[in-house]
Every structure is written in structure tokens, then in C-alpha cells.
Amino acid sequence: MSCPSCPTTDPVGEDTAGPPATRHGLAPETLSPDDSELLEFLYASLPEPPVSTFPSLCCAAGENRADRVSRLPDDLLRRVVYLLPAKDGARTAVLSSRWRGLWRSAPLVLVDTHLLPVGDAGARPARAGAASRAVTDAVSAALEAHPGPFPFVSLTCSFIVGADRPVLARWFHLLATKGVAVLVFFNRPWPLPGLRLPSSLFSCASLRRLWIGAWVFPDTATLPRGAAFPNLRELVLGCSVIEDKDLEFVLAVSPLLEILAISGMQTLLHARLANPSLRCAQFCLSILGEVAVVDAPNLERLFFCHNNTKSVRMIVKIGHVPKLRFLGYLEPGVQTLQIGDTIIKAGTKVSTSTTVSSVQMLALQLQFGVRSEVKMLPSFLRCFPRVETLIVESEETLEPTNKLGVKFWKDAGPIECVRSHLKTLYFRELHGTRNEFKFLTFIAENARKLEGMYIVVKNDLSRSAREATAAKLTDLRCANWASRDYKLLYRTSTFAGGGTLWSLELGTCLSFDDPFYCHLGSFRL
């Protein structure tokens, strides 16, 4: 299964000059393929700093070389300094007496990749050494020298080890006292997950966004009374370790938290979500025992991507979520779905206590060659009666079981979302199997409001399989469609080997209404 990624854009705003395989800055020989893929995903998702490493300053042509920039008001000059990398902003003090002190009076954006020695900028050091030590020293100097505030701090270049704990403690003290708003803090020890963060992290009360990678989260049982993140709105944890109780504590003491993203966790996690402000929760590339959404009255998005293996069963519990609109990827027959107090099984009777009527976009993954998974599909669909957009991703079946009988979908009975609300179906990675086309035919013959069925065919099918699939698609077009005004479009996947498309950044972007990349690419008749 391929790494989830954004297929059309590179969300990274820095350090893209080097080859993607070294963007995380660790020597390739130290990494397993899975670890390298995971780190690439995380480093490609880091937020873009609000400064440019390639500023362009222009002056009017001619003989008039007067320094008009220095005549600007202090507020505008501070804005100029703020938009420069920290190293360049500090150098403005030598321009003239007019600029001295502006660096200290302007907010500081501190990105440690901008502090790399000349010649190394643009690529993180692959090993602990002189370059990484120089960056660590430069960060310490900048934090000591500048009075703050720090609207954006990104520290991803130092190899912090046990001996550096006093330095680390000092950094957090300075960040807390000088008002850090956004903190990206990814260490790169090996092996993962690295050191435990100091509990002084919780003294950074000004934090609004926090990205933590390759660390062990502080033990919240040792925190002083009143420790909290009163202004935190976004928390991203990657390649880290956090205990169940510590995640629950963070949610309880973050009254404004809207976005939670957990990716590549290094230990089994049972997540209990109870937060009145949470709007988006995302779990990727992790081993999850349970995700229980107990009470999240403002939750709009709940995402799962590439979690667990088929041998590790996850329980998804959905409680009070009156605003949940986007949900996926659920895996019928692999995940256990519980709504309220009811565990959903094949044939579970529909009632108000077993449905989530707010969900409008639902994404599912399943092996159509596994009988137990397909048998759960109708029950999962019945739990979400008002789905308008359905995404179904067909996974390769390594150990197929018996085929379903001819009457399976006829006997499935009415499914409310299919019959009365479904407008769009996106079917991905079609292998051309009989069970897949039985499902597609069921949708075609029962979805009265269907406006479009969009099918992506797996791109590595044999020639004979492609020809057979094309013939079945022609037959599907001739089915007795319930909708009079529909489109059936298909195309071949552009990604070798298939795989789920996912972007950590866009998945948590609350203004982005296509988190499953439904509109990616064009379709042909």
C-alpha cells in the first residue's frame, strides 16, 4: 500500500531543493523503507513558515539611488524584518542607524533550517555533527537575544540527545516567557521515538498550533495543578508516544482545540475524544485499539487512513456527534463499528440509536473478495442514512473467500442513503471482479437521485483483465438505472499499485471540502 500523499501539490514551503528521499534529513541507510515513508509523509506535511528565503527587492532605474526604504514608518520596517529569515533579519542592523533595534522590536519567525551554515541551507543534516550542533547553538542564541514574541518557530534540524536536556529545558522556558504562537518541534533521533519532552511544554500558554514529532509526550500525572493549553487550536503528533491518559488530559485542558491529528504513533493507542470545541480528528499510519468519540458536539470531520494491519482489529465508537459531516475510511468487516451502545453487525436493525444522520460524505475501504467484509457493507451503509457522496475503495484480496450468492444484494433490502439521498459514487481501484460489479449494479438500480458514478480502474491489470473489465462497464451502462439523469464515467488510475490518497495538511484544512480527493483527475467516457 502506497504512502498517503497529496498527489497534485507539494505542501512543504521549505527545504524542497533537495531530493524528496532526503527531505527529512536522515541518512537513508539508517532507515527501514516503512520508517522512511512515514517520515517523508510527516515532513512533507509541516506547515509553511510565513517568511521567504528568496526575497526580491527592486529599486527604480536611473541615477537616483536615495534610500527610500529607510524612510518608511517603523511599523512598515518591522513588517519587512518580520518577513525575512531570522539570520537575514538580524543582519539589517548593519544597514544604517535607522535599522538598529528594528530586529529586536519586530516579532521573530525562527526556522532552524534557515540557520544552517552557508552551503548547507536547503537540506537538513543527515547525521548529528558540526552542522546540527551549529544550528542548535544558533537557535539558543536567537532565543536568548530576541525579546519576542515568536509567532512561528520551526525546529527540525537538531539531533537532541539526553545530554542536551538542559538546552531543551532552556528553550521551552524562553519560548513560554516570550510568547510562542506556532511551534513545530520535530527531533530526529534514531531509533524512534526518542526522548521524553520536558513538562515545561505546558508552560507555553500562548501556543495556538503545536506540531510534535519523534518525541515521547510528557507524563501529565506529574504536571502542576492548572497546567493547560488555554489558547491551543491545533495539535499534531507524529512518530511519537503518548499514553491514553495523557491524550485525554490534553483534550480536557485545551478548551479551544479544533484540530487533532495523530500520525505514525509508535505504541498502541486507545483514543477517547471528549472536547466541546473539537472540529476535526485525524488518525493516520498508527496502531489503534479504539477510537471512541464520546462527546464532541462540534466535530465535523473524523478521518482514518492506513491504520493497523488486518490482524489488528480497531473499534470505532461514535457517540454524541450532531455535526459530523465527513467520515472515513471505515473498513467493514475489519473495524468494529459501535454507534451509541450498539455494535453494528450484519443484519443489525436500523433505529434512531444506530444511525448518524449528519454524515454527508462517507468513505469505505474493503476487500470485495472477502465474504465477511462485503456482508457488513449494507449494515455500515444503513448507519448513515443521509450520505450524499460515497467513496468506496476496493482493496486487493490476498486470500479470497467464497463468492456471494446471486441474490445477496437483492435480499439486502432497502438502504435509505442509497435510495433517497446518494448523489455521487466514487469507486476507486476497480479490479473488475464479479462482487464489485454486483455492488455497482445495486447502486445503479436503486439510487434514485444519483447524478454521477465515477470509477477509477486499477492500472496494473493484465490485458485480458482490462478487456473483461471494459465489457462489464459496458454492461453496467445498460443496467436498469433508477436515476434518469446520471453520468457514468471511468478512467484508469494514474498511480502504480493503487493506494489511498491522503494529505495530512488538507485533511485538517476545515475550508477544504474534498479531503478524499474525489475530484482528482479527469474522467473519460
Side-chain angles (χ1 to χ4, degrees):
M1 186 174 288
S2 63
C3 177
S5 60
C6 176
T8 55
T9 61
D10 182 357
V12 180
E14 53 163 320
D15 301 331
T16 56
T22 61
R23 186 179 299 157
H24 50 61
L26 281 165
E29 63 269 20
T30 67
L31 303 172
S32 71
D34 288 344
D35 289 330
S36 181
E37 188 176 58
L38 173 57
L39 287 174
E40 281 304 312
F41 174 56
L42 290 171
Y43 274 86
S45 304
L46 297 183
E48 183 177 350
V51 298
S52 172
T53 56
F54 302 101
S56 176
L57 298 177
C58 301
C59 61
E63 296 299 324
N64 186 356
R65 298 180 180 272
D67 181 6
R68 293 188 176 91
V69 174
S70 294
R71 297 177 185 175
L72 294 173
D74 283 357
D75 287 347
L76 288 179
L77 291 182
R78 291 190 186 97
R79 181 66 178 170
V80 170
V81 173
Y82 164 74
L83 293 174
L84 293 173
K87 183 164 54 176
D88 297 329
R91 289 171 177 165
T92 60
V94 304
L95 294 176
S96 69
S97 58
R98 180 75 173 79
W99 291 81
R100 289 175 198 156
L102 283 175
W103 180 74
R104 285 178 51 82
S105 63
L108 178 64
V109 173
L110 182 59
V111 180
D112 61 359
T113 53
H114 299 165
L115 303 176
L116 284 165
V118 176
D120 292 327
R124 294 178 176 87
R127 297 173 178 83
S132 64
R133 177 51 56 187
V135 168
T136 300
D137 293 342
V139 168
S140 294
L143 292 176
E144 294 282 358
H146 199 283
F150 299 110
F152 187 100
V153 175
S154 176
L155 305 176
T156 65
C157 259
S158 297
F159 287 78
I160 300 295
V161 295
D164 296 315
R165 294 195 70 84
V167 174
L168 190 60
R170 181 62 177 167
W171 282 3
F172 275 100
H173 172 73
L174 294 170
L175 290 169
T177 57
K178 297 182 179 183
V180 61
V182 178
L183 176 60
V184 179
F185 199 50
F186 269 56
N187 196 27
R188 292 165 307 130
W190 203 253
L192 291 170
L195 303 174
R196 185 178 294 276
L197 284 166
S199 58
S200 54
L201 170 66
F202 280 85
S203 64
C204 298
S206 56
L207 274 173
R208 295 171 59 88
R209 301 176 69 195
L210 175 61
W211 289 58
I212 294 293
W215 293 97
V216 178
F217 205 78
D219 181 1
T220 57
T222 65
L223 296 176
R225 184 182 298 274
F229 289 131
N231 295 293
L232 190 65
R233 285 171 167 78
E234 179 177 1
L235 174 63
V236 178
L237 300 174
C239 280
S240 297
V241 170
I242 185 169
E243 299 293 331
D244 302 343
K245 64 177 180 61
D246 296 326
L247 177 59
E248 189 170 347
F249 176 86
V250 171
L251 293 173
V253 300
S254 304
L256 302 182
L257 188 69
E258 295 184 341
I259 295 170
L260 172 68
I262 293 178
S263 185
M265 299 308 288
Q266 299 296 294
T267 54
L268 180 67
L269 180 67
H270 297 78
R272 183 179 184 274
L273 306 184
N275 182 289
S277 59
L278 193 64
R279 297 177 62 189
C280 175
Q282 181 178 153
F283 300 86
C284 300
L285 297 161
S286 300
I287 304 298
L288 303 171
E290 176 180 289
V291 174
V293 188
V294 180
D295 186 16
N298 284 297
L299 188 69
E300 302 168 21
R301 299 162 177 245
L302 179 59
F303 298 139
F304 306 97
C305 187
H306 290 290
N307 296 299
N308 295 20
T309 62
K310 295 298 181 184
S311 61
V312 180
R313 197 176 187 92
M314 176 175 65
I315 302 175
V316 178
K317 296 181 179 180
I318 300 179
H320 182 57
V321 285
K323 294 184 180 180
L324 185 64
R325 293 176 52 222
F326 300 86
L327 176 61
Y329 287 88
L330 296 183
E331 301 181 66
V334 175
Q335 295 172 341
T336 296
L337 176 62
Q338 178 177 327
I339 298 179
D341 297 325
T342 304
I343 295 176
I344 306 303
K345 300 178 181 179
T348 297
K349 298 296 183 182
V350 178
S351 68
T352 56
S353 63
T354 62
T355 57
V356 184
S357 298
S358 58
V359 174
Q360 297 175 2
M361 180 178 282
L362 175 67
L364 304 172
Q365 286 176 324
L366 70 153
Q367 300 176 93
F368 276 87
V370 176
R371 181 183 180 89
S372 61
E373 295 190 25
V374 182
K375 287 187 70 174
M376 285 299 301
L377 181 53
S379 294
F380 270 51
L381 291 176
R382 288 191 179 94
C383 293
F384 308 99
R386 296 187 180 274
V387 167
E388 297 180 358
T389 301
L390 177 63
I391 303 98
V392 177
E393 183 171 302
S394 180
E395 295 187 304
E396 184 176 2
T397 303
L398 300 178
E399 298 181 3
T401 55
N402 295 332
K403 294 180 180 180
L404 295 170
V406 176
K407 296 176 59 181
F408 174 77
W409 283 106
K410 290 184 179 179
D411 294 342
I415 298 176
E416 177 65 18
C417 69
V418 175
R419 183 177 60 179
S420 303
H421 297 279
L422 186 64
K423 295 180 180 179
T424 311
L425 171 69
Y426 293 92
F427 194 99
R428 290 181 176 156
E429 302 302 317
L430 179 77
H431 295 72
T433 66
R434 178 185 178 187
N435 283 351
E436 291 173 324
F437 276 98
K438 284 184 177 295
F439 169 72
L440 292 172
T441 302
F442 171 78
I443 296 295
E445 294 180 347
N446 290 274
R448 302 171 184 172
K449 294 188 177 181
L450 192 69
E451 298 173 358
M453 181 183 290
Y454 304 95
I455 300 173
V456 179
V457 180
K458 191 172 175 61
N459 73 352
D460 57 355
L461 298 179
S462 65
R463 180 176 179 179
S464 60
R466 289 199 304 270
E467 291 174 351
T469 300
K472 292 177 182 177
L473 285 168
T474 300
D475 292 342
L476 178 63
R477 193 179 296 278
C478 297
N480 185 22
W481 289 71
S483 172
R484 294 184 178 181
D485 187 16
Y486 71 91
K487 291 184 292 185
L488 170 61
L489 303 177
Y490 71 90
R491 66 175 175 86
T492 301
S493 175
T494 57
F495 299 96
T500 304
L501 303 175
W502 193 254
S503 165
L504 181 66
E505 179 187 25
L506 294 180
T508 55
C509 179
L510 296 174
S511 62
F512 186 64
D513 283 337
D514 189 19
F516 301 106
Y517 293 106
C518 295
H519 302 295
L520 177 65
S522 59
F523 287 84
R524 66 176 185 276
L525 292 173

